[in-house]
Coordinates of all heavy atoms in Angstrom, one line a residue:
M270 N 91.4 -3.3 41.0 CA 90.1 -3.3 41.5 C 89.8 -4.6 42.3 O 90.3 -5.7 41.9 CB 89.1 -3.3 40.3 CG 87.7 -3.0 40.7 SD 86.5 -3.0 39.3 CE 87.0 -1.5 38.4
D271 N 89.2 -4.5 43.4 CA 89.0 -5.7 44.3 C 87.8 -6.5 43.9 O 86.7 -5.9 43.7 CB 88.8 -5.1 45.8 CG 88.6 -6.2 46.7 OD1 89.6 -6.9 47.1 OD2 87.4 -6.4 47.1
V272 N 87.9 -7.8 43.8 CA 86.9 -8.7 43.4 C 85.6 -8.6 44.3 O 84.5 -8.4 43.8 CB 87.4 -10.1 43.3 CG1 86.2 -11.1 42.9 CG2 88.5 -10.2 42.2
M273 N 85.8 -8.7 45.6 CA 84.7 -8.7 46.5 C 84.0 -7.3 46.5 O 82.8 -7.2 46.7 CB 85.1 -9.2 47.8 CG 85.6 -10.6 47.8 SD 84.5 -11.8 46.9 CE 83.1 -11.9 48.0
M274 N 84.8 -6.2 46.4 CA 84.2 -4.9 46.4 C 83.4 -4.7 45.1 O 82.3 -4.2 45.1 CB 85.3 -3.8 46.4 CG 84.7 -2.4 46.5 SD 83.7 -2.1 47.9 CE 84.9 -2.1 49.2
T275 N 83.8 -5.3 44.0 CA 83.1 -5.3 42.8 C 81.8 -6.0 42.9 O 80.7 -5.6 42.5 CB 83.9 -5.8 41.6 OG1 85.1 -5.0 41.4 CG2 83.1 -5.8 40.3
A276 N 81.8 -7.2 43.6 CA 80.6 -8.0 43.8 C 79.6 -7.2 44.7 O 78.4 -7.2 44.4 CB 81.0 -9.3 44.5
R277 N 80.1 -6.5 45.7 CA 79.3 -5.7 46.5 C 78.7 -4.5 45.7 O 77.5 -4.2 45.8 CB 80.0 -5.1 47.7 CG 79.1 -4.2 48.6 CD 79.8 -3.8 49.8 NE 79.7 -4.9 50.8 CZ 80.7 -5.4 51.4 NH1 81.9 -5.0 51.3 NH2 80.6 -6.4 52.2
N278 N 79.5 -3.9 44.8 CA 79.0 -2.8 44.0 C 77.9 -3.1 43.0 O 77.1 -2.3 42.7 CB 80.2 -2.1 43.3 CG 81.1 -1.4 44.2 OD1 80.8 -1.0 45.3 ND2 82.3 -1.1 43.7
I279 N 77.9 -4.4 42.5 CA 76.9 -4.7 41.6 C 75.7 -5.5 42.2 O 74.8 -5.9 41.6 CB 77.5 -5.6 40.4 CG1 78.0 -6.9 40.8 CG2 78.4 -4.8 39.6 CD1 78.4 -7.8 39.7
G280 N 75.8 -5.5 43.6 CA 74.6 -6.1 44.3 C 74.7 -7.6 44.6 O 73.6 -8.2 44.8
L281 N 75.8 -8.2 44.6 CA 75.9 -9.6 44.8 C 76.2 -9.9 46.3 O 76.0 -11.1 46.7 CB 77.0 -10.3 44.0 CG 76.8 -10.2 42.5 CD1 78.0 -10.8 41.8 CD2 75.5 -10.8 42.1
I282 N 76.5 -8.9 47.1 CA 76.8 -9.0 48.5 C 76.0 -7.9 49.1 O 76.1 -6.7 48.7 CB 78.3 -8.9 48.8 CG1 79.0 -10.0 48.1 CG2 78.5 -9.0 50.3 CD1 80.5 -9.9 48.2
G283 N 75.3 -8.2 50.2 CA 74.6 -7.1 50.9 C 75.5 -6.1 51.6 O 76.7 -6.4 51.8
A284 N 74.9 -5.0 51.8 CA 75.7 -3.9 52.5 C 76.3 -4.3 53.8 O 77.4 -3.9 54.2 CB 74.8 -2.6 52.7
D285 N 75.6 -5.2 54.5 CA 76.1 -5.7 55.8 C 77.0 -7.0 55.6 O 77.4 -7.6 56.6 CB 74.9 -6.1 56.7 CG 74.0 -7.2 56.1 OD1 74.2 -7.6 54.9 OD2 73.1 -7.6 56.8
G286 N 77.3 -7.3 54.3 CA 78.2 -8.5 54.1 C 77.4 -9.7 53.9 O 78.0 -10.8 53.7
G287 N 76.1 -9.7 54.1 CA 75.2 -10.9 54.0 C 74.8 -11.3 52.7 O 75.2 -10.7 51.7
D288 N 74.1 -12.4 52.6 CA 73.6 -12.9 51.4 C 72.6 -12.1 50.8 O 71.8 -11.3 51.5 CB 73.1 -14.3 51.6 CG 74.1 -15.3 52.0 OD1 75.3 -15.1 51.7 OD2 73.8 -16.3 52.7
V289 N 72.5 -12.1 49.4 CA 71.4 -11.4 48.7 C 70.6 -12.4 47.9 O 71.1 -13.5 47.7 CB 72.0 -10.3 47.8 CG1 72.6 -9.2 48.6 CG2 72.9 -10.9 46.8
F290 N 69.4 -12.0 47.6 CA 68.5 -13.0 46.9 C 68.0 -12.3 45.6 O 68.1 -11.1 45.5 CB 67.4 -13.4 47.8 CG 67.9 -14.0 49.1 CD1 68.0 -13.3 50.2 CD2 68.3 -15.3 49.1 CE1 68.5 -13.9 51.4 CE2 68.8 -15.9 50.2 CZ 68.9 -15.2 51.4
G291 N 67.4 -13.0 44.8 CA 66.8 -12.5 43.6 C 67.7 -12.7 42.4 O 68.5 -13.6 42.4
T292 N 67.5 -11.8 41.4 CA 68.2 -12.0 40.1 C 69.0 -10.8 39.8 O 68.8 -9.7 40.3 CB 67.2 -12.3 39.0 OG1 66.3 -11.2 38.9 CG2 66.4 -13.6 39.2
I293 N 69.9 -11.0 38.8 CA 70.7 -9.9 38.3 C 70.9 -10.1 36.8 O 70.8 -11.3 36.4 CB 72.1 -9.8 39.0 CG1 72.9 -8.6 38.6 CG2 72.8 -11.1 38.8 CD1 74.1 -8.3 39.5
E294 N 71.1 -9.1 36.1 CA 71.3 -9.2 34.6 C 72.7 -9.9 34.4 O 73.7 -9.5 35.0 CB 71.3 -7.9 33.9 CG 70.0 -7.2 33.9 CD 70.1 -5.8 33.3 OE1 70.8 -5.7 32.2 OE2 69.5 -4.9 33.8
R295 N 72.6 -11.0 33.7 CA 73.9 -11.7 33.4 C 74.9 -10.8 32.7 O 76.1 -10.9 33.0 CB 73.5 -12.9 32.5 CG 74.7 -13.9 32.3 CD 74.2 -15.1 31.6 NE 73.5 -15.9 32.6 CZ 73.1 -17.2 32.4 NH1 73.4 -17.8 31.2 NH2 72.5 -17.8 33.3
R296 N 74.5 -10.0 31.8 CA 75.4 -9.1 31.1 C 76.1 -8.2 32.1 O 77.3 -7.9 32.0 CB 74.6 -8.2 30.1 CG 75.5 -7.3 29.3 CD 74.7 -6.5 28.3 NE 73.9 -5.6 29.1 CZ 73.0 -4.8 28.5 NH1 72.8 -4.8 27.2 NH2 72.3 -3.9 29.2
A297 N 75.5 -7.7 33.2 CA 76.1 -6.9 34.2 C 77.2 -7.6 34.9 O 78.3 -7.1 35.2 CB 75.1 -6.3 35.2
V298 N 77.0 -8.9 35.2 CA 78.0 -9.7 35.9 C 79.2 -9.9 35.0 O 80.4 -9.7 35.4 CB 77.4 -11.1 36.3 CG1 78.5 -12.0 36.9 CG2 76.2 -10.9 37.3
I299 N 79.0 -10.2 33.7 CA 80.1 -10.5 32.8 C 80.9 -9.2 32.6 O 82.1 -9.2 32.5 CB 79.5 -11.0 31.4 CG1 79.0 -12.5 31.7 CG2 80.6 -11.0 30.3 CD1 78.2 -13.1 30.5
E300 N 80.2 -8.1 32.4 CA 80.9 -6.8 32.2 C 81.8 -6.5 33.5 O 82.9 -5.9 33.3 CB 79.9 -5.7 32.0 CG 79.3 -5.7 30.6 CD 78.2 -4.7 30.3 OE1 77.8 -4.0 31.3 OE2 77.7 -4.7 29.2
A301 N 81.3 -6.8 34.6 CA 82.1 -6.5 35.9 C 83.3 -7.4 35.9 O 84.4 -6.9 36.2 CB 81.2 -6.8 37.1
I302 N 83.2 -8.6 35.5 CA 84.4 -9.5 35.4 C 85.3 -9.1 34.3 O 86.6 -9.1 34.5 CB 84.0 -11.0 35.2 CG1 83.2 -11.5 36.4 CG2 85.2 -11.9 35.0 CD1 82.5 -12.8 36.2
E303 N 84.8 -8.6 33.2 CA 85.7 -8.1 32.1 C 86.4 -6.9 32.6 O 87.6 -6.7 32.3 CB 84.8 -7.8 30.9 CG 84.3 -9.0 30.2 CD 83.4 -8.7 29.1 OE1 82.8 -7.6 29.0 OE2 83.2 -9.6 28.2
D304 N 85.8 -6.0 33.4 CA 86.5 -4.8 33.9 C 87.6 -5.2 34.8 O 88.7 -4.6 34.8 CB 85.5 -3.9 34.7 CG 84.6 -3.1 33.8 OD1 84.8 -3.1 32.6 OD2 83.5 -2.6 34.3
L305 N 87.4 -6.2 35.7 CA 88.4 -6.7 36.5 C 89.6 -7.3 35.7 O 90.7 -7.1 36.0 CB 87.9 -7.8 37.5 CG 86.9 -7.3 38.6 CD1 86.2 -8.5 39.2 CD2 87.7 -6.6 39.6
A306 N 89.2 -8.0 34.6 CA 90.3 -8.6 33.8 C 91.1 -7.6 33.1 O 92.3 -7.8 33.0 CB 89.6 -9.5 32.8
R307 N 90.5 -6.5 32.7 CA 91.3 -5.4 32.1 C 92.4 -4.9 33.0 O 93.4 -4.4 32.6 CB 90.4 -4.3 31.6 CG 89.8 -4.6 30.2 CD 89.1 -3.4 29.6 NE 87.8 -3.2 30.2 CZ 86.7 -3.9 29.9 NH1 86.7 -4.8 29.0 NH2 85.5 -3.6 30.5
A308 N 92.0 -4.9 34.3 CA 93.0 -4.3 35.3 C 94.0 -5.3 35.7 O 95.0 -5.0 36.4 CB 92.2 -3.9 36.5
D309 N 93.9 -6.6 35.3 CA 94.8 -7.7 35.8 C 95.0 -8.7 34.7 O 94.5 -9.8 34.7 CB 94.2 -8.3 37.0 CG 95.1 -9.4 37.6 OD1 96.3 -9.5 37.2 OD2 94.7 -10.1 38.6
A310 N 95.7 -8.3 33.6 CA 95.9 -9.1 32.4 C 96.6 -10.4 32.7 O 96.5 -11.4 32.1 CB 96.6 -8.3 31.3
A311 N 97.5 -10.4 33.8 CA 98.3 -11.6 34.1 C 97.4 -12.8 34.5 O 97.8 -13.9 34.4 CB 99.3 -11.2 35.2
D312 N 96.2 -12.5 35.0 CA 95.3 -13.6 35.5 C 94.1 -13.8 34.6 O 93.1 -14.2 35.0 CB 94.9 -13.2 36.9 CG 96.0 -13.3 37.9 OD1 96.8 -14.2 37.9 OD2 96.1 -12.3 38.7
A313 N 94.3 -13.5 33.3 CA 93.3 -13.6 32.3 C 92.6 -14.9 32.3 O 91.3 -15.0 32.1 CB 93.8 -13.3 30.9
D314 N 93.3 -16.0 32.5 CA 92.7 -17.3 32.5 C 91.7 -17.5 33.6 O 90.6 -18.1 33.4 CB 93.8 -18.4 32.6 CG 94.6 -18.3 33.9 OD1 95.0 -17.2 34.3 OD2 94.9 -19.4 34.5
L315 N 91.9 -16.9 34.8 CA 91.0 -17.0 35.9 C 89.7 -16.2 35.6 O 88.6 -16.7 35.9 CB 91.6 -16.5 37.2 CG 92.8 -17.4 37.7 CD1 93.3 -16.8 39.0 CD2 92.4 -18.8 38.0
F316 N 89.9 -15.1 35.0 CA 88.7 -14.3 34.6 C 87.9 -15.0 33.5 O 86.6 -15.0 33.6 CB 89.1 -12.9 34.3 CG 89.7 -12.1 35.4 CD1 91.1 -11.8 35.4 CD2 88.9 -11.7 36.5 CE1 91.6 -11.2 36.5 CE2 89.5 -11.0 37.5 CZ 90.9 -10.7 37.5
S317 N 88.6 -15.6 32.6 CA 87.9 -16.3 31.5 C 87.1 -17.5 32.1 O 86.0 -17.7 31.7 CB 88.9 -16.8 30.5 OG 89.4 -15.7 29.8
A318 N 87.7 -18.2 33.0 CA 87.0 -19.3 33.6 C 85.8 -18.8 34.4 O 84.7 -19.5 34.4 CB 88.0 -20.0 34.6
A319 N 85.9 -17.7 35.1 CA 84.7 -17.1 35.8 C 83.6 -16.8 34.8 O 82.4 -17.0 35.1 CB 85.2 -15.9 36.6
I320 N 83.9 -16.2 33.7 CA 82.9 -15.8 32.7 C 82.3 -17.1 32.2 O 81.0 -17.1 32.0 CB 83.5 -14.9 31.6 CG1 83.8 -13.6 32.1 CG2 82.6 -14.9 30.4 CD1 84.6 -12.7 31.2
E321 N 83.1 -18.1 31.9 CA 82.5 -19.4 31.5 C 81.5 -19.9 32.5 O 80.5 -20.5 32.1 CB 83.6 -20.4 31.2 CG 84.4 -20.1 29.9 CD 83.5 -20.0 28.7 OE1 82.7 -20.9 28.5 OE2 83.7 -19.1 27.9
R322 N 81.8 -19.8 33.8 CA 80.9 -20.3 34.8 C 79.6 -19.5 34.8 O 78.6 -20.0 35.0 CB 81.6 -20.2 36.2 CG 82.6 -21.3 36.4 CD 83.1 -21.3 37.8 NE 82.1 -21.5 38.8 CZ 82.2 -21.2 40.1 NH1 83.4 -20.7 40.6 NH2 81.2 -21.4 41.0
V323 N 79.7 -18.2 34.6 CA 78.5 -17.3 34.5 C 77.7 -17.8 33.4 O 76.4 -18.0 33.5 CB 78.9 -15.8 34.3 CG1 77.6 -15.0 34.0 CG2 79.6 -15.3 35.6
L324 N 78.3 -18.0 32.2 CA 77.5 -18.4 31.0 C 76.9 -19.8 31.2 O 75.8 -20.1 30.6 CB 78.4 -18.4 29.8 CG 78.9 -17.0 29.4 CD1 79.9 -17.1 28.3 CD2 77.7 -16.2 28.9
A325 N 77.6 -20.7 31.9 CA 77.1 -22.1 32.1 C 76.1 -22.2 33.3 O 75.5 -23.2 33.5 CB 78.3 -23.0 32.3
S326 N 76.0 -21.1 34.1 CA 75.1 -21.2 35.3 C 73.6 -21.3 34.9 O 73.2 -21.0 33.8 CB 75.3 -20.0 36.1 OG 74.8 -18.8 35.5
R327 N 72.9 -21.8 35.8 CA 71.4 -22.0 35.6 C 70.8 -20.6 35.4 O 71.0 -19.6 36.1 CB 70.8 -22.6 36.9 CG 69.4 -23.1 36.7 CD 68.9 -23.8 37.9 NE 68.1 -22.9 38.6 CZ 67.8 -23.0 39.9 NH1 68.2 -23.9 40.6 NH2 67.0 -22.1 40.4
S328 N 70.0 -20.5 34.4 CA 69.3 -19.3 34.1 C 68.2 -19.0 35.1 O 67.5 -19.9 35.5 CB 68.7 -19.4 32.7 OG 67.9 -18.3 32.4
A329 N 68.0 -17.8 35.3 CA 66.9 -17.3 36.2 C 65.7 -16.8 35.3 O 64.8 -16.2 35.8 CB 67.3 -16.3 37.2
G330 N 65.9 -17.0 34.0 CA 64.8 -16.5 33.1 C 65.3 -15.4 32.2 O 66.4 -15.0 32.2
V331 N 64.4 -15.1 31.3 CA 64.6 -14.0 30.3 C 63.5 -13.0 30.4 O 62.3 -13.4 30.5 CB 64.7 -14.6 28.9 CG1 64.8 -13.5 27.9 CG2 65.8 -15.6 28.8
E332 N 63.9 -11.8 30.5 CA 62.9 -10.7 30.6 C 62.9 -10.1 29.2 O 63.9 -9.7 28.6 CB 63.3 -9.6 31.6 CG 62.4 -8.6 31.8 CD 62.8 -7.6 32.9 OE1 63.7 -8.0 33.7 OE2 62.3 -6.5 32.9
R333 N 61.7 -10.0 28.6 CA 61.5 -9.4 27.3 C 60.9 -8.0 27.4 O 59.9 -7.8 28.0 CB 60.7 -10.3 26.4 CG 61.4 -11.6 26.1 CD 60.5 -12.5 25.2 NE 61.2 -13.7 24.8 CZ 61.4 -14.7 25.6 NH1 60.9 -14.7 26.8 NH2 62.1 -15.8 25.2
L334 N 61.7 -7.0 26.9 CA 61.2 -5.7 26.9 C 61.0 -5.2 25.5 O 61.7 -5.7 24.6 CB 62.3 -4.8 27.6 CG 62.6 -5.1 29.0 CD1 63.7 -4.2 29.5 CD2 61.4 -5.0 29.9
G335 N 60.1 -4.3 25.3 CA 59.9 -3.7 24.0 C 61.1 -2.9 23.5 O 61.9 -2.5 24.3
A336 N 61.2 -2.8 22.2 CA 62.3 -2.1 21.6 C 62.4 -0.6 22.0 O 63.4 0.0 22.0 CB 62.2 -2.2 20.1
T337 N 61.3 -0.1 22.5 CA 61.3 1.3 22.9 C 61.3 1.4 24.5 O 60.9 2.4 25.0 CB 60.0 2.0 22.4 OG1 58.9 1.3 22.9 CG2 60.0 2.1 20.9
S338 N 61.8 0.4 25.1 CA 61.9 0.4 26.6 C 62.6 1.6 27.1 O 63.7 1.9 26.6 CB 62.5 -0.9 27.1 OG 62.8 -0.8 28.4
F339 N 62.1 2.3 28.0 CA 62.8 3.5 28.6 C 64.0 3.1 29.4 O 64.9 3.9 29.6 CB 61.8 4.3 29.5 CG 61.5 3.6 30.8 CD1 62.2 3.9 31.9 CD2 60.5 2.7 30.9 CE1 61.9 3.3 33.1 CE2 60.1 2.1 32.1 CZ 60.9 2.4 33.2
L340 N 64.1 1.8 29.7 CA 65.3 1.3 30.5 C 66.5 1.2 29.6 O 67.6 1.2 30.1 CB 64.9 0.0 31.2 CG 63.8 0.0 32.2 CD1 63.5 -1.4 32.7 CD2 64.1 1.0 33.4
G341 N 66.3 0.9 28.4 CA 67.4 0.8 27.4 C 68.3 -0.3 27.7 O 69.5 -0.2 27.5
R342 N 67.9 -1.4 28.3 CA 68.7 -2.5 28.8 C 68.6 -3.7 28.0 O 68.9 -4.8 28.4 CB 68.4 -2.8 30.2 CG 68.6 -1.7 31.2 CD 68.2 -2.1 32.6 NE 67.0 -3.0 32.5 CZ 66.6 -3.6 33.6 NH1 67.1 -3.5 34.7 NH2 65.5 -4.4 33.5
T343 N 68.1 -3.6 26.8 CA 67.9 -4.8 26.0 C 69.0 -5.1 25.0 O 69.8 -4.2 24.7 CB 66.6 -4.7 25.1 OG1 66.7 -3.5 24.3 CG2 65.3 -4.5 26.0
D344 N 69.2 -6.3 24.7 CA 70.2 -6.6 23.6 C 69.5 -6.6 22.3 O 68.3 -6.1 22.2 CB 70.8 -8.0 23.9 CG 69.8 -9.2 23.8 OD1 68.7 -9.0 23.4 OD2 70.2 -10.3 24.2
A345 N 70.1 -7.0 21.2 CA 69.6 -6.9 19.9 C 68.2 -7.7 19.7 O 67.4 -7.3 18.9 CB 70.6 -7.5 18.9
T346 N 68.0 -8.7 20.6 CA 66.8 -9.4 20.5 C 65.7 -8.9 21.4 O 64.6 -9.4 21.5 CB 67.0 -10.9 20.8 OG1 67.4 -11.0 22.2 CG2 68.0 -11.5 19.9
G347 N 66.0 -7.8 22.2 CA 65.0 -7.3 23.1 C 64.9 -8.1 24.4 O 63.9 -8.1 25.1
E348 N 65.9 -8.9 24.7 CA 65.9 -9.7 25.9 C 67.0 -9.4 26.9 O 68.1 -9.0 26.5 CB 66.1 -11.2 25.5 CG 65.0 -11.7 24.5 CD 65.2 -13.1 24.1 OE1 66.3 -13.6 24.2 OE2 64.2 -13.7 23.6
I349 N 66.6 -9.6 28.2 CA 67.6 -9.5 29.3 C 67.7 -10.9 29.9 O 66.7 -11.4 30.4 CB 67.2 -8.4 30.3 CG1 67.1 -7.1 29.7 CG2 68.1 -8.4 31.5 CD1 66.5 -6.0 30.6
H350 N 68.9 -11.4 29.9 CA 69.1 -12.8 30.5 C 69.4 -12.6 32.0 O 70.3 -11.8 32.3 CB 70.2 -13.5 29.8 CG 69.8 -13.8 28.4 ND1 69.2 -15.0 28.0 CD2 70.0 -13.1 27.2 CE1 69.0 -14.9 26.7 NE2 69.4 -13.8 26.2
L351 N 68.7 -13.3 32.8 CA 68.9 -13.1 34.3 C 69.6 -14.3 34.9 O 69.5 -15.5 34.4 CB 67.5 -13.0 34.9 CG 66.7 -11.8 34.4 CD1 65.3 -11.8 35.0 CD2 67.4 -10.5 34.8
S352 N 70.4 -14.1 35.9 CA 71.0 -15.1 36.7 C 70.6 -14.9 38.2 O 70.2 -13.8 38.6 CB 72.5 -15.0 36.6 OG 72.9 -15.3 35.2
Y353 N 70.8 -16.0 39.0 CA 70.6 -15.9 40.4 C 71.7 -15.2 41.1 O 72.9 -15.5 40.9 CB 70.3 -17.2 41.0 CG 69.0 -17.9 40.5 CD1 69.0 -18.8 39.5 CD2 67.8 -17.4 41.0 CE1 67.9 -19.4 39.0 CE2 66.6 -18.0 40.5 CZ 66.7 -18.9 39.5 OH 65.5 -19.5 39.1
R354 N 71.4 -14.2 41.9 CA 72.5 -13.4 42.6 C 73.3 -14.3 43.5 O 74.6 -14.2 43.5 CB 71.8 -12.3 43.5 CG 71.3 -11.2 42.7 CD 70.7 -10.1 43.7 NE 70.0 -9.1 42.9 CZ 70.6 -8.0 42.4 NH1 71.8 -7.8 42.6 NH2 69.9 -7.2 41.7
A355 N 72.8 -15.3 44.2 CA 73.6 -16.1 45.1 C 74.6 -16.9 44.3 O 75.7 -17.1 44.7 CB 72.6 -17.0 45.8
A356 N 74.2 -17.4 43.1 CA 75.1 -18.2 42.3 C 76.2 -17.3 41.7 O 77.4 -17.7 41.7 CB 74.3 -18.9 41.1
M357 N 75.9 -16.1 41.4 CA 76.9 -15.2 40.9 C 77.9 -14.7 42.0 O 79.1 -14.6 41.8 CB 76.3 -13.9 40.2 CG 75.4 -14.2 39.0 SD 76.2 -15.1 37.7 CE 75.6 -16.8 37.9
A358 N 77.3 -14.6 43.2 CA 78.2 -14.3 44.3 C 79.2 -15.4 44.6 O 80.3 -15.1 44.9 CB 77.3 -14.0 45.6
E359 N 78.7 -16.6 44.4 CA 79.6 -17.8 44.6 C 80.8 -17.7 43.6 O 81.9 -18.0 43.9 CB 78.8 -19.1 44.5 CG 79.6 -20.3 44.7 CD 78.8 -21.5 44.6 OE1 77.7 -21.6 45.3 OE2 79.1 -22.5 43.9
I360 N 80.5 -17.4 42.4 CA 81.5 -17.3 41.3 C 82.5 -16.2 41.7 O 83.7 -16.4 41.6 CB 80.9 -17.0 40.0 CG1 80.1 -18.2 39.5 CG2 81.9 -16.6 38.9 CD1 79.2 -18.0 38.3
F361 N 82.0 -15.1 42.2 CA 83.0 -14.0 42.6 C 83.8 -14.4 43.8 O 85.0 -14.1 43.8 CB 82.2 -12.7 42.9 CG 82.0 -11.8 41.7 CD1 81.1 -12.1 40.7 CD2 82.8 -10.7 41.6 CE1 80.9 -11.3 39.6 CE2 82.6 -9.8 40.5 CZ 81.7 -10.2 39.5
L362 N 83.2 -15.1 44.7 CA 84.0 -15.6 45.9 C 85.1 -16.6 45.4 O 86.2 -16.5 45.9 CB 83.0 -16.2 46.9 CG 83.7 -16.8 48.2 CD1 84.5 -15.7 48.9 CD2 82.7 -17.5 49.1
D363 N 84.7 -17.5 44.6 CA 85.7 -18.5 44.1 C 86.8 -17.8 43.3 O 88.0 -18.1 43.4 CB 85.0 -19.5 43.2 CG 84.1 -20.5 44.0 OD1 84.2 -20.5 45.2 OD2 83.4 -21.2 43.3
L364 N 86.4 -16.7 42.5 CA 87.4 -16.0 41.8 C 88.4 -15.3 42.7 O 89.6 -15.3 42.5 CB 86.7 -15.0 40.9 CG 87.7 -14.0 40.1 CD1 88.6 -14.8 39.2 CD2 86.8 -13.0 39.3
A365 N 87.9 -14.7 43.8 CA 88.7 -14.0 44.8 C 89.7 -15.0 45.5 O 90.8 -14.7 45.7 CB 87.8 -13.3 45.8
I366 N 89.2 -16.2 45.8 CA 90.0 -17.2 46.4 C 91.1 -17.7 45.4 O 92.3 -17.8 45.8 CB 89.1 -18.4 46.9 CG1 88.3 -18.0 48.0 CG2 90.0 -19.6 47.2 CD1 87.2 -19.0 48.4
D367 N 90.7 -17.9 44.2 CA 91.7 -18.4 43.2 C 92.8 -17.3 43.0 O 94.0 -17.7 42.9 CB 91.0 -18.7 41.8 CG 90.1 -19.9 41.9 OD1 90.3 -20.7 42.8 OD2 89.3 -20.0 41.0
L368 N 92.4 -16.0 42.9 CA 93.4 -15.0 42.7 C 94.3 -14.9 44.0 O 95.5 -14.7 43.8 CB 92.7 -13.6 42.5 CG 92.0 -13.5 41.1 CD1 91.1 -12.3 41.1 CD2 93.1 -13.3 40.0
G369 N 93.7 -15.0 45.1 CA 94.5 -14.9 46.4 C 95.5 -16.1 46.5 O 96.6 -15.9 46.8
L370 N 95.0 -17.3 46.1 CA 95.9 -18.4 46.2 C 97.1 -18.3 45.2 O 98.2 -18.5 45.5 CB 95.2 -19.7 45.9 CG 94.2 -20.2 47.0 CD1 93.4 -21.4 46.5 CD2 95.0 -20.6 48.2
R371 N 96.7 -17.8 44.0 CA 97.8 -17.6 42.9 C 98.8 -16.6 43.4 O 100.0 -16.8 43.2 CB 97.2 -17.3 41.6 CG 98.2 -17.0 40.5 CD 97.6 -16.8 39.2 NE 97.1 -18.0 38.6 CZ 96.5 -18.1 37.5 NH1 96.3 -17.0 36.8 NH2 96.1 -19.2 37.0
H372 N 98.3 -15.5 43.9 CA 99.2 -14.4 44.3 C 100.0 -14.8 45.5 O 101.2 -14.4 45.6 CB 98.5 -13.1 44.5 CG 97.9 -12.6 43.1 ND1 97.5 -11.3 43.0 CD2 97.7 -13.2 41.9 CE1 97.1 -11.1 41.7 NE2 97.2 -12.3 41.1
S373 N 99.4 -15.5 46.4 CA 100.2 -15.9 47.6 C 101.3 -16.9 47.3 O 102.4 -16.9 47.8 CB 99.3 -16.3 48.8 OG 98.7 -17.6 48.4
A374 N 101.0 -17.8 46.3 CA 101.9 -18.8 45.9 C 103.1 -18.1 45.2 O 104.3 -18.5 45.4 CB 101.3 -19.8 45.0
A375 N 102.8 -17.1 44.4 CA 103.8 -16.3 43.7 C 104.7 -15.6 44.7 O 106.0 -15.5 44.5 CB 103.2 -15.4 42.7
E376 N 104.1 -15.0 45.7 CA 104.9 -14.3 46.8 C 105.8 -15.3 47.5 O 106.9 -15.0 47.8 CB 104.0 -13.6 47.7 CG 103.3 -12.4 47.1 CD 102.2 -11.8 48.0 OE1 102.2 -12.2 49.2 OE2 101.5 -11.0 47.5
R377 N 105.3 -16.5 47.8 CA 106.1 -17.5 48.6 C 107.3 -18.0 47.7 O 108.3 -18.2 48.3 CB 105.2 -18.7 49.0 CG 104.3 -18.5 50.2 CD 103.8 -19.8 50.7 NE 103.1 -20.6 49.7 CZ 101.8 -20.5 49.4 NH1 101.0 -19.7 50.0 NH2 101.3 -21.3 48.4
S378 N 107.0 -18.1 46.4 CA 108.1 -18.6 45.6 C 109.2 -17.6 45.4 O 110.4 -17.9 45.2 CB 107.6 -19.0 44.2 OG 107.1 -18.0 43.5
T379 N 108.9 -16.3 45.5 CA 110.0 -15.3 45.4 C 110.7 -15.1 46.7 O 111.8 -14.6 46.7 CB 109.4 -13.9 45.0 OG1 108.4 -13.5 45.9 CG2 108.8 -14.0 43.6
V380 N 110.1 -15.5 47.8 CA 110.8 -15.3 49.1 C 111.8 -16.4 49.4 O 112.8 -16.2 50.0 CB 109.7 -15.3 50.3 CG1 110.3 -15.4 51.6 CG2 108.8 -14.2 50.1
V381 N 111.5 -17.6 48.8 CA 112.4 -18.7 49.1 C 113.7 -18.6 48.5 O 114.4 -17.9 47.9 CB 111.8 -20.0 48.5 CG1 112.7 -21.2 48.6 CG2 110.5 -20.3 49.2

C-alpha cells in the first residue's frame, strides 16, 4: 500500500495534490498507519515512530458525542480525539521519505 495514496484516501491531501485544512479523527490516522505497517513488517520501526508522532502531536480538540450517537464513532468514553490535517499530512510525508530512503539505500547496497 502506498503511503501517499493512503494519505490522500483518508483526506490528508487534496484531490488536486494540494494542502487540506481542518481536523481529522486521530484514530483514523493511527488505523491507516497500522494498516500500512501490516503490509510492510520489515519497516515496523518507522511505522511505530509515525504513530508516536501522531500521539504526540498537538490536539485539535475533543468532540464529545452521546452514547447513542448515530455516527457510532465514539470510544469507550464517548470522545473523538481530533488532530490537524496539515500536521498529519506532514507525518505521512516524512514517513514516505523515510521509507524511500531506507529502500533506496538497501537497493544501492545490493548493487555494489
